[in-house]
PDB file of all heavy atoms in Angstrom:
ATOM      1  N   SER A  11      -3.423   2.256  -7.077  1.00 34.00           N
ATOM      2  CA  SER A  11      -3.156   3.602  -7.549  1.00 34.00           C
ATOM      3  C   SER A  11      -1.829   3.699  -8.271  1.00 34.00           C
ATOM      4  O   SER A  11      -0.837   3.126  -7.878  1.00 34.00           O
ATOM      5  CB  SER A  11      -3.151   4.580  -6.361  1.00 34.00           C
ATOM      6  OG  SER A  11      -2.738   5.854  -6.784  1.00 34.00           O
ATOM      7  N   SER A  50       6.726 -12.790  14.382  1.00 93.00           N
ATOM      8  CA  SER A  50       6.674 -11.447  13.804  1.00 93.00           C
ATOM      9  C   SER A  50       5.290 -11.140  13.253  1.00 93.00           C
ATOM     10  O   SER A  50       4.729 -10.067  13.495  1.00 93.00           O
ATOM     11  CB  SER A  50       7.707 -11.310  12.677  1.00 93.00           C
ATOM     12  OG  SER A  50       9.007 -11.351  13.178  1.00 93.00           O
ATOM     13  N   VAL A  53       2.821 -10.577  16.207  1.00 95.00           N
ATOM     14  CA  VAL A  53       3.051  -9.328  16.938  1.00 95.00           C
ATOM     15  C   VAL A  53       2.717  -8.120  16.064  1.00 95.00           C
ATOM     16  O   VAL A  53       2.122  -7.147  16.535  1.00 95.00           O
ATOM     17  CB  VAL A  53       4.511  -9.247  17.432  1.00 95.00           C
ATOM     18  CG1 VAL A  53       4.795  -7.885  18.061  1.00 95.00           C
ATOM     19  CG2 VAL A  53       4.786 -10.356  18.441  1.00 95.00           C
ATOM     20  N   ILE A  54       3.067  -8.199  14.794  1.00 94.00           N
ATOM     21  CA  ILE A  54       2.746  -7.105  13.862  1.00 94.00           C
ATOM     22  C   ILE A  54       1.239  -6.916  13.777  1.00 94.00           C
ATOM     23  O   ILE A  54       0.728  -5.789  13.804  1.00 94.00           O
ATOM     24  CB  ILE A  54       3.325  -7.398  12.465  1.00 94.00           C
ATOM     25  CG1 ILE A  54       4.835  -7.182  12.473  1.00 94.00           C
ATOM     26  CG2 ILE A  54       2.683  -6.501  11.417  1.00 94.00           C
ATOM     27  CD1 ILE A  54       5.523  -7.610  11.198  1.00 94.00           C
ATOM     28  N   ILE A  56      -1.057  -7.686  15.993  1.00 94.00           N
ATOM     29  CA  ILE A  56      -1.570  -7.147  17.255  1.00 94.00           C
ATOM     30  C   ILE A  56      -1.255  -5.661  17.389  1.00 94.00           C
ATOM     31  O   ILE A  56      -2.137  -4.835  17.676  1.00 94.00           O
ATOM     32  CB  ILE A  56      -0.968  -7.922  18.448  1.00 94.00           C
ATOM     33  CG1 ILE A  56      -1.538  -9.339  18.495  1.00 94.00           C
ATOM     34  CG2 ILE A  56      -1.244  -7.194  19.766  1.00 94.00           C
ATOM     35  CD1 ILE A  56      -0.858 -10.243  19.515  1.00 94.00           C
ATOM     36  N   SER A  99       7.623  15.203  15.682  1.00 82.00           N
ATOM     37  CA  SER A  99       8.174  13.977  16.261  1.00 82.00           C
ATOM     38  C   SER A  99       7.859  13.820  17.750  1.00 82.00           C
ATOM     39  O   SER A  99       7.452  12.739  18.187  1.00 82.00           O
ATOM     40  CB  SER A  99       9.682  13.923  16.034  1.00 82.00           C
ATOM     41  OG  SER A  99      10.328  15.036  16.649  1.00 82.00           O
ATOM     42  N   ASP A 127       3.676  -6.492  29.031  1.00 93.00           N
ATOM     43  CA  ASP A 127       4.019  -5.845  30.297  1.00 93.00           C
ATOM     44  C   ASP A 127       3.646  -4.363  30.207  1.00 93.00           C
ATOM     45  O   ASP A 127       4.189  -3.632  29.376  1.00 93.00           O
ATOM     46  CB  ASP A 127       5.518  -6.003  30.571  1.00 93.00           C
ATOM     47  CG  ASP A 127       5.892  -5.591  31.988  1.00 93.00           C
ATOM     48  OD1 ASP A 127       5.231  -4.707  32.550  1.00 93.00           O
ATOM     49  OD2 ASP A 127       6.869  -6.153  32.521  1.00 93.00           O
ATOM     50  N   TRP A 154       0.928 -17.304  -9.088  1.00 92.00           N
ATOM     51  CA  TRP A 154       0.243 -16.914  -7.872  1.00 92.00           C
ATOM     52  C   TRP A 154      -0.303 -18.131  -7.123  1.00 92.00           C
ATOM     53  O   TRP A 154      -0.813 -19.079  -7.715  1.00 92.00           O
ATOM     54  CB  TRP A 154      -0.916 -15.971  -8.149  1.00 92.00           C
ATOM     55  CG  TRP A 154      -1.771 -15.752  -6.924  1.00 92.00           C
ATOM     56  CD1 TRP A 154      -3.017 -16.235  -6.683  1.00 92.00           C
ATOM     57  CD2 TRP A 154      -1.374 -15.044  -5.752  1.00 92.00           C
ATOM     58  NE1 TRP A 154      -3.437 -15.861  -5.433  1.00 92.00           N
ATOM     59  CE2 TRP A 154      -2.449 -15.130  -4.830  1.00 92.00           C
ATOM     60  CE3 TRP A 154      -0.229 -14.356  -5.377  1.00 92.00           C
ATOM     61  CZ2 TRP A 154      -2.404 -14.545  -3.570  1.00 92.00           C
ATOM     62  CZ3 TRP A 154      -0.181 -13.771  -4.122  1.00 92.00           C
ATOM     63  CH2 TRP A 154      -1.262 -13.865  -3.237  1.00 92.00           C
ATOM     64  N   ARG A 164       7.539 -21.433   3.337  1.00 88.00           N
ATOM     65  CA  ARG A 164       8.855 -21.496   2.709  1.00 88.00           C
ATOM     66  C   ARG A 164       8.856 -20.820   1.341  1.00 88.00           C
ATOM     67  O   ARG A 164       9.815 -20.106   0.993  1.00 88.00           O
ATOM     68  CB  ARG A 164       9.301 -22.954   2.578  1.00 88.00           C
ATOM     69  CG  ARG A 164      10.689 -23.120   1.974  1.00 88.00           C
ATOM     70  CD  ARG A 164      11.136 -24.561   2.012  1.00 88.00           C
ATOM     71  NE  ARG A 164      11.209 -25.049   3.389  1.00 88.00           N
ATOM     72  CZ  ARG A 164      12.229 -24.840   4.199  1.00 88.00           C
ATOM     73  NH1 ARG A 164      13.265 -24.131   3.773  1.00 88.00           N
ATOM     74  NH2 ARG A 164      12.238 -25.323   5.422  1.00 88.00           N
ATOM     75  N   SER A 172      14.707 -13.869  -2.700  1.00 93.00           N
ATOM     76  CA  SER A 172      15.171 -13.764  -4.081  1.00 93.00           C
ATOM     77  C   SER A 172      14.948 -12.365  -4.643  1.00 93.00           C
ATOM     78  O   SER A 172      15.858 -11.747  -5.212  1.00 93.00           O
ATOM     79  CB  SER A 172      14.443 -14.796  -4.948  1.00 93.00           C
ATOM     80  OG  SER A 172      14.776 -14.632  -6.310  1.00 93.00           O
ATOM     81  N   LEU A 173      13.724 -11.837  -4.481  1.00 94.00           N
ATOM     82  CA  LEU A 173      13.406 -10.523  -5.029  1.00 94.00           C
ATOM     83  C   LEU A 173      14.122  -9.401  -4.293  1.00 94.00           C
ATOM     84  O   LEU A 173      14.484  -8.384  -4.899  1.00 94.00           O
ATOM     85  CB  LEU A 173      11.895 -10.299  -4.996  1.00 94.00           C
ATOM     86  CG  LEU A 173      11.094 -11.142  -5.988  1.00 94.00           C
ATOM     87  CD1 LEU A 173       9.605 -10.912  -5.806  1.00 94.00           C
ATOM     88  CD2 LEU A 173      11.502 -10.799  -7.419  1.00 94.00           C
ATOM     89  N   GLU A 179      20.305  -5.396  -6.219  1.00 94.00           N
ATOM     90  CA  GLU A 179      21.327  -5.323  -7.258  1.00 94.00           C
ATOM     91  C   GLU A 179      20.886  -4.430  -8.416  1.00 94.00           C
ATOM     92  O   GLU A 179      21.706  -3.711  -9.008  1.00 94.00           O
ATOM     93  CB  GLU A 179      21.657  -6.731  -7.768  1.00 94.00           C
ATOM     94  CG  GLU A 179      22.422  -7.583  -6.775  1.00 94.00           C
ATOM     95  CD  GLU A 179      23.710  -6.911  -6.323  1.00 94.00           C
ATOM     96  OE1 GLU A 179      24.461  -6.433  -7.210  1.00 94.00           O
ATOM     97  OE2 GLU A 179      23.966  -6.846  -5.106  1.00 94.00           O
ATOM     98  N   THR A 184      22.169   1.439 -11.020  1.00 93.00           N
ATOM     99  CA  THR A 184      21.645   2.671 -11.601  1.00 93.00           C
ATOM    100  C   THR A 184      22.325   3.905 -11.007  1.00 93.00           C
ATOM    101  O   THR A 184      23.155   3.809 -10.104  1.00 93.00           O
ATOM    102  CB  THR A 184      20.127   2.767 -11.354  1.00 93.00           C
ATOM    103  OG1 THR A 184      19.895   2.990  -9.944  1.00 93.00           O
ATOM    104  CG2 THR A 184      19.424   1.489 -11.786  1.00 93.00           C
ATOM    105  N   ILE A 222      10.876  10.029  -4.727  1.00 75.00           N
ATOM    106  CA  ILE A 222      10.084   9.367  -5.762  1.00 75.00           C
ATOM    107  C   ILE A 222      10.709   9.563  -7.143  1.00 75.00           C
ATOM    108  O   ILE A 222      10.815   8.624  -7.930  1.00 75.00           O
ATOM    109  CB  ILE A 222       8.637   9.895  -5.753  1.00 75.00           C
ATOM    110  CG1 ILE A 222       7.886   9.309  -4.562  1.00 75.00           C
ATOM    111  CG2 ILE A 222       7.911   9.518  -7.026  1.00 75.00           C
ATOM    112  CD1 ILE A 222       6.459   9.753  -4.469  1.00 75.00           C
ATOM    113  N   ALA A 263       4.820   4.285 -13.845  1.00 34.00           N
ATOM    114  CA  ALA A 263       3.891   3.478 -14.629  1.00 34.00           C
ATOM    115  C   ALA A 263       3.612   4.110 -15.983  1.00 34.00           C
ATOM    116  O   ALA A 263       3.391   5.305 -16.095  1.00 34.00           O
ATOM    117  CB  ALA A 263       2.583   3.291 -13.881  1.00 34.00           C
ATOM    118  N   ILE A 283     -30.492   8.482 -22.830  1.00 85.00           N
ATOM    119  CA  ILE A 283     -31.882   8.152 -22.500  1.00 85.00           C
ATOM    120  C   ILE A 283     -32.693   9.429 -22.316  1.00 85.00           C
ATOM    121  O   ILE A 283     -33.821   9.549 -22.817  1.00 85.00           O
ATOM    122  CB  ILE A 283     -31.935   7.280 -21.234  1.00 85.00           C
ATOM    123  CG1 ILE A 283     -31.315   5.900 -21.512  1.00 85.00           C
ATOM    124  CG2 ILE A 283     -33.375   7.124 -20.740  1.00 85.00           C
ATOM    125  CD1 ILE A 283     -31.181   5.030 -20.285  1.00 85.00           C
ATOM    126  N   ILE A 284     -32.136  10.373 -21.566  1.00 85.00           N
ATOM    127  CA  ILE A 284     -32.838  11.649 -21.339  1.00 85.00           C
ATOM    128  C   ILE A 284     -33.075  12.366 -22.658  1.00 85.00           C
ATOM    129  O   ILE A 284     -34.156  12.923 -22.910  1.00 85.00           O
ATOM    130  CB  ILE A 284     -32.029  12.546 -20.383  1.00 85.00           C
ATOM    131  CG1 ILE A 284     -32.006  11.915 -18.980  1.00 85.00           C
ATOM    132  CG2 ILE A 284     -32.614  13.950 -20.318  1.00 85.00           C
ATOM    133  CD1 ILE A 284     -31.122  12.642 -18.003  1.00 85.00           C
ATOM    134  N   ILE A 286     -33.357  11.011 -25.673  1.00 85.00           N
ATOM    135  CA  ILE A 286     -34.387  10.296 -26.433  1.00 85.00           C
ATOM    136  C   ILE A 286     -35.774  10.643 -25.907  1.00 85.00           C
ATOM    137  O   ILE A 286     -36.719  10.878 -26.676  1.00 85.00           O
ATOM    138  CB  ILE A 286     -34.142   8.782 -26.368  1.00 85.00           C
ATOM    139  CG1 ILE A 286     -32.851   8.420 -27.128  1.00 85.00           C
ATOM    140  CG2 ILE A 286     -35.326   8.006 -26.930  1.00 85.00           C
ATOM    141  CD1 ILE A 286     -32.436   6.976 -26.993  1.00 85.00           C
ATOM    142  N   VAL A 295     -45.731  16.444 -28.823  1.00 66.00           N
ATOM    143  CA  VAL A 295     -46.345  17.779 -28.771  1.00 66.00           C
ATOM    144  C   VAL A 295     -46.566  18.335 -30.166  1.00 66.00           C
ATOM    145  O   VAL A 295     -47.632  18.854 -30.489  1.00 66.00           O
ATOM    146  CB  VAL A 295     -45.446  18.739 -27.943  1.00 66.00           C
ATOM    147  CG1 VAL A 295     -45.960  20.171 -28.070  1.00 66.00           C
ATOM    148  CG2 VAL A 295     -45.419  18.310 -26.493  1.00 66.00           C
TER     149      VAL A 295
END
Side-chain angles (χ1 to χ4, degrees):
S11 173
S50 292
V53 174
I54 285 173
I56 290 172
S99 60
D127 191 330
W154 170 253
R164 182 174 299 278
S172 174
L173 289 176
E179 289 304 312
T184 69
I222 285 180
I283 293 173
I284 293 174
I286 293 173
V295 171

